[in-house]
Amino acid sequence: GGMSGGVSGDLDAGTCRTVLVTGAARGIGRATAARFGREGARVVVNFPPGEREYAEQTGALVREEGGTPLLVEADVADPAAVTEMAAIVHATWGPLDVLVNNAGICPFADFFDIDVELWDRVQHVNLRGAFLVTQAFTRAMVEAGRGGRVLSVSSISAWVGGSQQVHYCTTKAGISSLMKSLAIVLGPHGITCNAVLPGAIATDINKADWTDQAKVDYFRSRIPAGRMGEPADVAGVLWLLSQPESAYMNGSDVLVDGGMFVNLQ
Ligand code: NAD
């Protein structure tokens, strides 16, 4: 409780917040679920079909950190599954305070090898998924009138290209754009929408990068921080952006890349 009345962008730091992290089975999503768990939050751990075992490990981590996990299986690209997930979450805990759109895939492919099925799948999981989940959960947040946060994991790839990532980079530019329009739609309700743009973070999604020593050396030379990022580096910034002090940030692209982007020469 403790809101000063009316619509406010400020979340009460003293309450046990309700947070949904999509794609929380592994990687950045798992670290983010754990980070919010550390603050005693109620954390919805979304995972796709086939990844329940990983999601259970995330749930255990959330609990270890002091939070309360709720595991919900849903392919974020599937409208019916997203609707069902929203019904389960709302029936269990009511409206969210913080939504983290994190689910994403990045199957590297040469431009001339990208067929329409691959193009559509990446677009559907990464971009349509963020749209569907945000629409399904912010409706109840608006009705609750408590304000809140939508934080979407975009990428440095929203700003740069990748020869193996033509299908992926376009979704990340789309996610950043989605947050900008929704900042306008939801801002008047005290719900801010921002994108977080990780650089090179060592997770399953880019194993080919960090298991290739030449590529690791290249990244190291390119990243002023002197190392690739870890999931916790991104999770920490997502946590910062959920704080009341971030209430005046809306529609931003927040880069979390150890300085890689600005290091042209
Ligand atoms: P990851 O492969 O470890 O995690 C991806 C997560 O998404 C997994 O938990 C997976 O279960 C989930 N997921 C995949 N398809 C899903 C679906 N259809 N429905 C629900 N969940 C689904 O990789 P990661 O690096 O942790 O990626 C998380 C996000 O961070 C992605 O959006 C990715 O694009 C973004 N990102 C990663 C990097 C990086 O360098 N690792 C850089 C920039 C952005």
Side-chain angles (χ1 to χ4, degrees):
M3 297 300 299
S4 50
V7 164
S8 166
D10 294 347
L11 291 168
D12 187 340
T15 56
C16 188
R17 299 177 191 181
T18 305
V19 182
L20 163 63
V21 183
T22 66
R26 295 176 283 114
I28 293 168
R30 172 182 286 183
T32 302
R35 185 67 190 82
F36 279 91
R38 195 182 307 167
E39 310 296 332
R42 302 192 285 206
V43 184
V44 184
V45 175
N46 159 256
F47 63 98
E51 297 204 22
R52 180 173 294 276
E53 237 171 89
Y54 293 113
E56 276 167 4
Q57 290 167 22
T58 302
L61 209 52
V62 168
R63 209 175 277 289
E64 239 168 70
E65 296 281 357
T68 309
L70 172 68
L71 273 55
V72 184
E73 177 179 312
D75 174 351
V76 295
D78 176 352
V82 169
T83 301
E84 198 187 326
M85 172 164 68
I88 291 167
V89 171
H90 291 145
T92 312
W93 284 337
L96 300 178
D97 297 302
V98 180
L99 163 61
V100 180
N101 288 306
N102 165 78
I105 55 172
C106 182
F108 293 172
D110 285 328
F111 171 60
F112 293 109
D113 293 337
I114 299 172
D115 58 25
V116 75
E117 283 75 26
L118 179 60
W119 173 270
D120 281 351
R121 184 63 188 155
V122 174
Q123 298 286 327
H124 285 179
V125 172
N126 295 7
L127 184 53
R128 188 167 88 169
F131 157 70
L132 290 171
V133 173
T134 305
Q135 192 183 56
F137 283 91
T138 56
R139 202 185 294 277
M141 291 170 74
V142 167
E143 281 165 11
R146 299 203 305 259
R149 298 279 182 276
V150 178
L151 299 168
S152 292
V153 180
S154 173
S155 173
I156 191 172
S157 300
W159 291 356
V160 300
S163 62
Q164 297 287 306
Q165 300 172 307
V166 172
H167 47 334
Y168 173 82
C169 296
T170 46
T171 67
K172 292 298 173 176
I175 287 168
S176 285
S177 174
L178 180 69
M179 291 301 98
K180 288 170 188 155
S181 290
L182 293 183
I184 305 166
V185 174
L186 299 170
H189 299 282
I191 301 166
T192 60
C193 300
N194 294 289
V196 167
L197 284 60
I201 315 295
T203 67
D204 291 345
I205 212 169
N206 55 5
K207 224 174 207 159
D209 286 347
W210 55 266
T211 52
D212 171 349
Q213 194 53 44
K215 212 134 185 223
V216 170
D217 291 343
Y218 166 72
F219 275 134
R220 224 174 253 150
S221 72
R222 190 71 208 269
I223 301 170
R227 62 172 176 88
M228 284 184 74
E230 297 181 8
D233 290 315
V234 182
V237 172
L238 288 164
W239 166 254
L240 288 175
L241 294 177
S242 77
Q243 292 300 288
E245 285 82 355
S246 73
Y248 205 63
M249 291 178 72
N250 200 11
S252 291
D253 270 343
V254 179
L255 192 60
V256 184
D257 72 340
M260 179 165 63
F261 178 78
V262 296
N263 189 14
L264 180 62
Q265 54 180 336

